[in-house]
Amino acid sequence: MPNSVITRFAPSPTGFLHIGGARTALFNWLYAKHTGGKFLLRIEDTDQKRSTDDAIDAIYEGLSWLGLDWDDEALSQHARLKRHQAVAQDLLSNGLAYKCYCSPEELQDMRQIAKAEGRTRLYDGRWRDRDPSDAPTGVEPVIRLKTPLQGETVIGDVIQGEVRVSNEQLDDIVLLRADGSPTYMLAVVVDDHDMKISHVIRGDDHLTNAFRQVQIYNALNWNLPVFAHMPLLHGTDGAKLSKRHGALGVEAYRSMGILPEAMNNYLLRLGWSHGDDEIISQDHAIRWFDVKDVGRAASRFDMEKLTSVNGYYIRHADVDYLVSLILPIIQKNFKGKLADQGVDRLKNGMVSLRERAKNILELAENATFYALPRPISYDAKATKLLAGSAVAVLEELRSAFLNLQDWVQTELEIVVNDHALATEAKLGKIAQPLRAAVTGRTVSPGIFEILEILGKDEVLGRLDDAIEAHTT
RNA sequence: GACCCCUUCGUCUAGUCAGGCCUAGGACUCCAGAUUUUCAUUCUGGCAACACGGGUUCGAAUCCCGUAGGGGUCACCA
């Protein structure tokens, strides 16, 4: 059976797509692409109280931003309630499951005793073989799976290897709650089976759940999917990333100016590698990625490395793409006040600009002087630089520029250099005030490039503005 | 606590399956230097690790055992 690989990402709608979930989704997506299979999305919204449309949208948006498109319609687990119930009923009528009438208090006590005695098996199976006529009236039972008492349950995990646990450790799990809703354990198994999921790739916090799920598969006499439990992503402190730990949603990184390509690349390198390769294009990722190569150790999330990868992607990104990303930011910051030639200037200056930014926010900030109309504002350092004798320098430059016919970088450089020689000043002494006058800042791309892109009229105008603003 | 998983520079990792090519390689960070009109890029160099203890072997980061540390899971949550 060629092309039988079907993977899935099954997040619960908690309000955002967090970074660990994004990595899980990425690995599932890559594996599907690598094998020419399908990647499906299922929303685990069994708990209706906790899932909202907004939360579901956040997942869609997060995945879309990362470019992790899914095949077919996203499936809502909740919509499959009837099927889950039917499966539980089958199990019940086949004698593979039973009704349990324990009260929450009873269970609580049982658990305490079991823990005190150091046992893992928390439920003692007291209703397992009890006569149904003993059932108390007025109590809705839960349905529990009759799990094997002896032997062991084994998982051949692609990442973790063979993991086995004694069945004595596993108690009879609840399949259907008293209100008739399925538990997560039942729902995943039924859904994964019905969706024909071939590979279950998920965080290894599910590894111990997998044993219980295997028991459900076995009771149903269904084929097992291939399991791949990938190590968790940890925070800088080494603990599991969680909301409490300040784990952020992918949209938070987006608003920090991280590029989705960089995010994917960074996430991919956490727990997986291809020799010494650091920058891996999506094409290569698809070609090279295989779940079996995922490591078993958890890794920590490192913002500095992400930032560095992000810088690389910005430096190598397409000019128009970058302009389209920063334009809305600049317009938002300055209320749409854009110079007529603003966009052209941004495009012309972008190659130099992109080498100087670690993220899109910074890029937008550094590019602003191109986009805004006169008069520009000066930051504190620029203001300081323009005080005193700088005005005289600007005036001299202004008249030198005035006569320049061929307004190109090389010519401009000659003019400024000549001026430096004539006044026996160091180039820096002249270039810095010029930079401050023209960009409003002390840091920018090469000054001659800027002069050319801005154009003669604009430069002369900005010099006038600066002279006027700083003449005392 | 019980069960399961993990352990190479501060971090991500190569090397571990098929022991010698490893005086352990790369990347990020940091430091120094070169380039330079500022900043950045780029380039060069540097600091820095096989958790520990036993074995097996001519030889172990690699195999075995133990210890320590870290993580995960133990719900009528997902």
Side-chain angles (χ1 to χ4, degrees):
Chain A
M1 248 208 293
N3 268 7
S4 56
V5 168
I6 302 181
T7 65
R8 48 64 157 186
F9 176 52
S12 48
T14 53
F16 56 49
L17 173 62
H18 80 86
I19 202 79
R23 190 175 66 130
T24 306
L26 173 67
F27 283 24
N28 274 284
W29 184 89
L30 280 174
Y31 191 62
K33 295 291 170 197
H34 175 72
T35 54
K38 279 186 168 188
F39 169 64
L40 306 181
L41 178 63
R42 181 175 75 226
I43 306 294
E44 309 258 291
D45 53 356
T46 305
D47 189 349
Q48 284 290 293
K49 290 182 295 263
R50 292 205 307 193
S51 54
T52 64
D53 286 347
D54 282 352
I56 293 170
D57 284 345
I59 290 169
Y60 291 159
E61 268 172 43
L63 289 175
S64 301
W65 178 64
L66 289 169
L68 306 179
D69 49 320
W70 54 96
D71 295 300
D72 306 342
E73 285 281 297
L75 187 81
S76 157
Q77 187 160 63
H78 180 67
R80 296 177 36 81
L81 178 69
K82 292 273 186 297
R83 161 104 253 239
H84 299 145
Q85 290 170 333
V87 171
Q89 284 305 325
D90 278 356
L91 252 14
L92 192 59
S93 42
N94 291 337
L96 295 166
Y98 61 93
K99 293 178 177 174
C100 166
Y101 293 87
C102 284
S103 67
E105 297 74 35
E106 236 177 310
L107 256 14
Q108 185 74 30
D109 292 347
M110 245 183 267
R111 243 174 259 139
Q112 260 174 13
I113 294 167
K115 286 206 173 183
E117 292 176 0
R119 283 183 287 118
T120 306
R121 186 179 210 132
L122 269 17
Y123 173 69
D124 63 8
R126 63 180 60 174
W127 282 93
R128 188 176 166 112
D129 297 307
R130 198 149 155 190
D131 196 314
S133 62
D134 284 351
T137 51
V139 178
E140 284 303 318
V142 298
I143 294 180
R144 285 183 187 270
L145 181 72
K146 233 179 228 184
T147 49
L149 267 14
Q150 275 112 39
E152 53 182 14
T153 299
V154 183
I155 293 174
D157 193 284
V158 181
I159 296 171
Q160 303 293 334
E162 190 177 89
V163 187
R164 49 183 67 225
V165 71
S166 162
N167 286 335
E168 287 164 26
Q169 306 291 339
L170 275 15
D171 53 15
D172 292 345
I173 51 163
V174 173
L175 263 18
L176 229 48
R177 302 191 187 99
D179 66 1
S181 65
T183 59
Y184 162 76
M185 292 295 173
L186 206 224
V188 248
V189 170
V190 175
D191 292 344
D192 283 340
H193 171 264
D194 290 358
M195 291 164 83
K196 299 187 168 47
I197 302 302
S198 65
H199 291 68
V200 171
I201 304 168
R202 71 225 311 184
D204 74 8
D205 49 340
H206 287 283
L207 184 59
T208 45
N209 289 333
F211 292 105
R212 311 198 130 95
Q213 289 159 212
V214 165
Q215 293 186 327
I216 298 178
Y217 276 102
N218 289 155
L220 257 6
N221 204 18
W222 286 347
N223 286 333
L224 254 35
V226 174
F227 287 108
H229 288 96
M230 47 193 271
L232 260 21
L233 231 160
H234 286 175
T236 340
D237 62 347
K240 181 186 179 182
L241 271 180
S242 65
K243 274 198 239 181
R244 276 203 108 85
H245 254 87
L248 301 175
V250 288
E251 85 289 337
Y253 293 96
R254 179 187 193 172
S255 56
M256 280 184 229
I258 301 293
L259 251 25
E261 305 87 305
M263 191 82 241
N264 281 333
N265 194 144
Y266 175 70
L267 253 20
L268 174 64
R269 285 286 289 98
L270 255 29
W272 178 88
S273 66
H274 182 267
D276 284 339
D277 292 314
E278 297 288 345
I279 299 297
I280 300 167
S281 70
Q282 190 165 79
D283 281 353
H284 282 108
I286 290 171
R287 202 174 314 154
W288 293 335
F289 183 80
D290 194 318
V291 260
K292 71 172 166 42
D293 298 324
V294 175
R296 280 192 270 201
S299 41
R300 303 183 186 207
F301 185 82
D302 180 14
M303 191 63 202
E304 289 191 328
K305 182 122 183 199
L306 206 211
T307 302
S308 145
V309 173
N310 199 47
Y312 178 90
Y313 275 91
I314 288 177
R315 265 174 268 136
H316 293 80
D318 179 73
V319 164
D320 289 346
Y321 170 56
L322 291 174
V323 171
S324 75
L325 288 177
I326 63 169
L327 222 38
I329 299 174
I330 295 175
Q331 283 175 317
K332 185 175 167 233
N333 290 348
F334 295 93
K335 309 204 165 49
K337 207 173 59 173
L338 215 59
D340 291 344
Q341 307 93 328
V343 175
D344 287 336
R345 291 184 201 150
L346 287 176
K347 287 184 180 178
N348 291 334
M350 191 49 74
V351 168
S352 302
L353 246 17
R354 69 183 176 189
E355 286 189 2
R356 295 168 165 77
K358 294 283 182 215
N359 60 257
I360 297 299
L361 261 33
E362 199 178 293
L363 183 67
E365 199 181 311
N366 294 346
T368 299
F369 77 91
Y370 271 135
L372 298 187
R374 291 174 44 208
I376 60 166
S377 59
Y378 311 92
D379 69 16
K381 284 183 186 167
T383 305
K384 196 176 169 194
L385 194 62
L386 288 169
S389 62
V391 172
V393 175
L394 295 182
E395 280 169 340
E396 288 161 15
L397 281 173
R398 205 208 113 95
S399 43
F401 287 158
L402 201 56
N403 301 320
L404 184 63
Q405 295 303 312
D406 203 5
W407 193 263
V408 293
Q409 224 177 61
T410 45
E411 294 298 320
L412 287 158
E413 191 162 355
I414 292 169
V415 170
V416 175
N417 270 319
D418 284 352
H419 182 76
L421 280 174
T423 57
E424 292 182 347
K426 282 199 144 187
L427 189 49
K429 284 287 176 194
I430 299 170
Q432 277 307 86
L434 182 55
R435 186 190 315 281
V438 160
T439 70
R441 313 178 54 172
T442 54
V443 171
S444 80
I447 186 65
F448 304 115
E449 176 189 329
I450 291 173
L451 295 178
E452 180 181 327
I453 291 171
L454 247 20
K456 188 170 183 176
D457 291 348
E458 181 72 17
V459 169
L460 294 180
R462 288 191 185 198
L463 286 177
D464 288 339
D465 294 341
I467 291 165
E468 190 183 335
H470 297 90
T471 303
T472 41

